[in-house]
mmCIF file of all heavy atoms in Angstrom:
data_model
loop_
_atom_site.group_PDB
_atom_site.id
_atom_site.type_symbol
_atom_site.label_atom_id
_atom_site.label_comp_id
_atom_site.label_asym_id
_atom_site.label_seq_id
_atom_site.Cartn_x
_atom_site.Cartn_y
_atom_site.Cartn_z
ATOM 1 N N TRP A 107 -53.979 -49.453 -18.859
ATOM 2 C CA TRP A 107 -53.650 -50.098 -20.008
ATOM 3 C C TRP A 107 -54.255 -51.555 -19.821
ATOM 4 O O TRP A 107 -54.322 -52.169 -18.816
ATOM 5 C CB TRP A 107 -52.112 -50.359 -20.170
ATOM 6 C CG TRP A 107 -51.444 -49.125 -20.444
ATOM 7 C CD1 TRP A 107 -50.985 -48.216 -19.546
ATOM 8 C CD2 TRP A 107 -51.301 -48.516 -21.749
ATOM 9 N NE1 TRP A 107 -50.338 -47.118 -20.278
ATOM 10 C CE2 TRP A 107 -50.568 -47.303 -21.535
ATOM 11 C CE3 TRP A 107 -51.597 -48.856 -23.136
ATOM 12 C CZ2 TRP A 107 -50.157 -46.479 -22.633
ATOM 13 C CZ3 TRP A 107 -51.198 -48.080 -24.094
ATOM 14 C CH2 TRP A 107 -50.508 -46.903 -23.938
ATOM 15 N N ARG A 108 -54.780 -52.209 -21.020
ATOM 16 C CA ARG A 108 -55.273 -53.475 -21.117
ATOM 17 C C ARG A 108 -54.847 -54.169 -22.314
ATOM 18 O O ARG A 108 -54.545 -53.445 -23.380
ATOM 19 C CB ARG A 108 -56.857 -53.536 -20.960
ATOM 20 C CG ARG A 108 -57.562 -52.822 -22.042
ATOM 21 C CD ARG A 108 -59.022 -52.863 -22.010
ATOM 22 N NE ARG A 108 -59.640 -52.263 -23.100
ATOM 23 C CZ ARG A 108 -59.863 -52.700 -24.363
ATOM 24 N NH1 ARG A 108 -59.283 -53.927 -24.552
ATOM 25 N NH2 ARG A 108 -60.354 -52.107 -25.275
ATOM 26 N N LYS A 109 -54.900 -55.494 -22.204
ATOM 27 C CA LYS A 109 -54.469 -56.199 -23.543
ATOM 28 C C LYS A 109 -55.549 -56.002 -24.460
ATOM 29 O O LYS A 109 -56.795 -56.271 -24.225
ATOM 30 C CB LYS A 109 -54.282 -57.736 -23.085
ATOM 31 C CG LYS A 109 -53.850 -58.506 -24.355
ATOM 32 C CD LYS A 109 -53.681 -60.030 -24.029
ATOM 33 C CE LYS A 109 -53.431 -60.787 -25.215
ATOM 34 N NZ LYS A 109 -53.336 -62.202 -24.999
ATOM 35 N N SER A 110 -55.145 -55.758 -25.626
ATOM 36 C CA SER A 110 -56.280 -55.583 -26.739
ATOM 37 C C SER A 110 -56.778 -56.916 -27.058
ATOM 38 O O SER A 110 -56.166 -57.950 -27.209
ATOM 39 C CB SER A 110 -55.572 -55.038 -28.044
ATOM 40 O OG SER A 110 -56.547 -54.999 -29.015
ATOM 41 N N THR A 111 -58.239 -56.874 -27.374
ATOM 42 C CA THR A 111 -58.870 -58.120 -27.792
ATOM 43 C C THR A 111 -58.357 -58.488 -29.083
ATOM 44 O O THR A 111 -58.650 -59.550 -29.697
ATOM 45 C CB THR A 111 -60.382 -57.937 -27.816
ATOM 46 O OG1 THR A 111 -60.751 -56.851 -28.563
ATOM 47 C CG2 THR A 111 -60.859 -57.720 -26.355
ATOM 48 N N TYR A 112 -57.773 -57.581 -29.871
ATOM 49 C CA TYR A 112 -57.166 -57.889 -31.185
ATOM 50 C C TYR A 112 -55.933 -58.386 -31.162
ATOM 51 O O TYR A 112 -55.264 -58.703 -32.351
ATOM 52 C CB TYR A 112 -57.189 -56.574 -32.040
ATOM 53 C CG TYR A 112 -58.767 -56.083 -32.382
ATOM 54 C CD1 TYR A 112 -59.303 -55.196 -31.522
ATOM 55 C CD2 TYR A 112 -59.392 -56.538 -33.583
ATOM 56 C CE1 TYR A 112 -60.560 -54.789 -31.793
ATOM 57 C CE2 TYR A 112 -60.647 -56.236 -33.746
ATOM 58 C CZ TYR A 112 -61.215 -55.414 -33.036
ATOM 59 O OH TYR A 112 -62.538 -54.937 -33.220
ATOM 60 N N SER A 113 -55.251 -58.644 -30.114
ATOM 61 C CA SER A 113 -53.867 -59.252 -29.939
ATOM 62 C C SER A 113 -54.001 -60.670 -30.332
ATOM 63 O O SER A 113 -55.000 -61.376 -30.191
ATOM 64 C CB SER A 113 -53.358 -59.115 -28.489
ATOM 65 O OG SER A 113 -52.911 -57.894 -28.238
ATOM 66 N N GLY A 114 -53.021 -61.179 -30.828
ATOM 67 C CA GLY A 114 -52.841 -62.579 -31.153
ATOM 68 C C GLY A 114 -53.054 -63.600 -30.001
ATOM 69 O O GLY A 114 -52.850 -63.118 -28.921
ATOM 70 N N ALA A 115 -53.216 -64.775 -30.327
ATOM 71 C CA ALA A 115 -53.286 -65.777 -29.258
ATOM 72 C C ALA A 115 -52.006 -66.064 -28.534
ATOM 73 O O ALA A 115 -51.939 -66.677 -27.508
ATOM 74 C CB ALA A 115 -53.953 -67.112 -29.699
ATOM 75 N N HIS A 116 -51.024 -65.697 -29.203
ATOM 76 C CA HIS A 116 -49.655 -66.142 -28.701
ATOM 77 C C HIS A 116 -49.202 -65.131 -27.699
ATOM 78 O O HIS A 116 -49.495 -63.804 -27.877
ATOM 79 C CB HIS A 116 -48.506 -66.016 -29.808
ATOM 80 C CG HIS A 116 -49.027 -66.997 -30.998
ATOM 81 N ND1 HIS A 116 -48.936 -68.454 -30.876
ATOM 82 C CD2 HIS A 116 -49.395 -66.794 -32.283
ATOM 83 C CE1 HIS A 116 -49.327 -68.953 -31.976
ATOM 84 N NE2 HIS A 116 -49.591 -67.884 -32.782
ATOM 85 N N GLU A 117 -48.729 -65.535 -26.621
ATOM 86 C CA GLU A 117 -48.419 -64.717 -25.394
ATOM 87 C C GLU A 117 -47.309 -63.635 -25.893
ATOM 88 O O GLU A 117 -47.224 -62.523 -25.143
ATOM 89 C CB GLU A 117 -47.726 -65.550 -24.289
ATOM 90 C CG GLU A 117 -48.883 -66.327 -23.681
ATOM 91 C CD GLU A 117 -49.847 -65.564 -22.945
ATOM 92 O OE1 GLU A 117 -49.797 -64.530 -22.427
ATOM 93 O OE2 GLU A 117 -51.155 -66.015 -23.170
ATOM 94 N N ASN A 118 -46.414 -63.830 -26.779
ATOM 95 C CA ASN A 118 -45.383 -63.039 -27.234
ATOM 96 C C ASN A 118 -45.848 -61.756 -28.159
ATOM 97 O O ASN A 118 -45.118 -60.984 -28.532
ATOM 98 C CB ASN A 118 -44.262 -63.651 -27.750
ATOM 99 C CG ASN A 118 -43.592 -64.507 -26.759
ATOM 100 O OD1 ASN A 118 -43.631 -64.275 -25.573
ATOM 101 N ND2 ASN A 118 -42.907 -65.628 -27.157
ATOM 102 N N GLU A 119 -47.103 -61.795 -28.554
ATOM 103 C CA GLU A 119 -47.580 -60.900 -29.495
ATOM 104 C C GLU A 119 -48.703 -60.086 -28.953
ATOM 105 O O GLU A 119 -49.837 -60.021 -29.444
ATOM 106 C CB GLU A 119 -48.087 -61.608 -30.692
ATOM 107 C CG GLU A 119 -46.870 -62.348 -31.420
ATOM 108 C CD GLU A 119 -47.362 -63.094 -32.710
ATOM 109 O OE1 GLU A 119 -48.543 -63.094 -33.018
ATOM 110 O OE2 GLU A 119 -46.522 -63.842 -33.253
ATOM 111 N N CYS A 120 -48.546 -59.374 -27.839
ATOM 112 C CA CYS A 120 -49.560 -58.636 -27.164
ATOM 113 C C CYS A 120 -49.573 -57.088 -27.485
ATOM 114 O O CYS A 120 -48.343 -56.531 -27.419
ATOM 115 C CB CYS A 120 -49.561 -58.969 -25.658
ATOM 116 S SG CYS A 120 -49.873 -60.517 -25.169
ATOM 117 N N VAL A 121 -50.580 -56.605 -27.725
ATOM 118 C CA VAL A 121 -50.685 -55.052 -27.848
ATOM 119 C C VAL A 121 -51.622 -54.637 -26.732
ATOM 120 O O VAL A 121 -52.633 -55.261 -26.526
ATOM 121 C CB VAL A 121 -51.358 -54.809 -29.314
ATOM 122 C CG1 VAL A 121 -51.621 -53.314 -29.370
ATOM 123 C CG2 VAL A 121 -50.446 -55.196 -30.352
ATOM 124 N N GLU A 122 -51.140 -53.561 -26.044
ATOM 125 C CA GLU A 122 -52.024 -52.992 -25.136
ATOM 126 C C GLU A 122 -52.567 -51.664 -25.657
ATOM 127 O O GLU A 122 -51.962 -51.030 -26.354
ATOM 128 C CB GLU A 122 -51.109 -52.704 -23.704
ATOM 129 C CG GLU A 122 -50.681 -53.989 -23.255
ATOM 130 C CD GLU A 122 -49.804 -53.673 -21.928
ATOM 131 O OE1 GLU A 122 -49.026 -52.805 -21.940
ATOM 132 O OE2 GLU A 122 -49.994 -54.496 -21.049
ATOM 133 N N VAL A 123 -53.738 -51.413 -25.131
ATOM 134 C CA VAL A 123 -54.478 -50.118 -25.494
ATOM 135 C C VAL A 123 -54.981 -49.389 -24.135
ATOM 136 O O VAL A 123 -55.185 -50.109 -23.043
ATOM 137 C CB VAL A 123 -55.683 -50.399 -26.365
ATOM 138 C CG1 VAL A 123 -55.245 -50.971 -27.697
ATOM 139 C CG2 VAL A 123 -56.665 -51.301 -25.789
ATOM 140 N N ALA A 124 -55.136 -48.050 -24.230
ATOM 141 C CA ALA A 124 -55.619 -47.391 -23.152
ATOM 142 C C ALA A 124 -56.472 -46.299 -23.750
ATOM 143 O O ALA A 124 -56.283 -45.713 -24.753
ATOM 144 C CB ALA A 124 -54.482 -46.571 -22.432
ATOM 145 N N ASP A 125 -57.689 -46.187 -23.063
ATOM 146 C CA ASP A 125 -58.705 -45.062 -23.381
ATOM 147 C C ASP A 125 -58.292 -43.836 -22.874
ATOM 148 O O ASP A 125 -58.118 -43.583 -21.595
ATOM 149 C CB ASP A 125 -60.009 -45.541 -22.837
ATOM 150 C CG ASP A 125 -61.204 -44.640 -23.304
ATOM 151 O OD1 ASP A 125 -60.894 -43.535 -23.816
ATOM 152 O OD2 ASP A 125 -62.310 -45.056 -23.108
ATOM 153 N N LEU A 126 -57.966 -42.834 -23.797
ATOM 154 C CA LEU A 126 -57.616 -41.536 -23.181
ATOM 155 C C LEU A 126 -58.725 -40.454 -23.573
ATOM 156 O O LEU A 126 -58.461 -39.495 -24.029
ATOM 157 C CB LEU A 126 -56.206 -41.128 -23.916
ATOM 158 C CG LEU A 126 -55.115 -41.993 -23.708
ATOM 159 C CD1 LEU A 126 -53.818 -41.503 -24.462
ATOM 160 C CD2 LEU A 126 -54.684 -42.212 -22.225
ATOM 161 N N ASN A 127 -59.862 -40.805 -23.406
ATOM 162 C CA ASN A 127 -61.113 -40.009 -23.625
ATOM 163 C C ASN A 127 -61.305 -39.953 -25.131
ATOM 164 O O ASN A 127 -61.864 -40.829 -25.797
ATOM 165 C CB ASN A 127 -61.097 -38.768 -22.925
ATOM 166 C CG ASN A 127 -61.078 -38.942 -21.418
ATOM 167 O OD1 ASN A 127 -61.698 -39.931 -20.831
ATOM 168 N ND2 ASN A 127 -60.487 -38.052 -20.679
ATOM 169 N N GLU A 128 -60.746 -38.924 -25.734
ATOM 170 C CA GLU A 128 -60.941 -38.647 -27.251
ATOM 171 C C GLU A 128 -60.014 -39.380 -28.077
ATOM 172 O O GLU A 128 -60.013 -39.461 -29.369
ATOM 173 C CB GLU A 128 -60.736 -37.018 -27.486
ATOM 174 C CG GLU A 128 -61.731 -36.199 -26.736
ATOM 175 C CD GLU A 128 -63.147 -36.440 -27.333
ATOM 176 O OE1 GLU A 128 -63.385 -36.711 -28.573
ATOM 177 O OE2 GLU A 128 -64.116 -36.446 -26.453
#
Side-chain angles (χ1 to χ4, degrees):
W107 292 94
R108 64 174 180 81
K109 181 180 173 185
S110 172
T111 57
Y112 290 94
S113 286
H116 305 289
E117 292 296 319
N118 294 334
E119 298 176 5
C120 296
V121 174
E122 293 179 322
V123 294
D125 185 345
L126 304 178
N127 298 328
E128 299 292 322

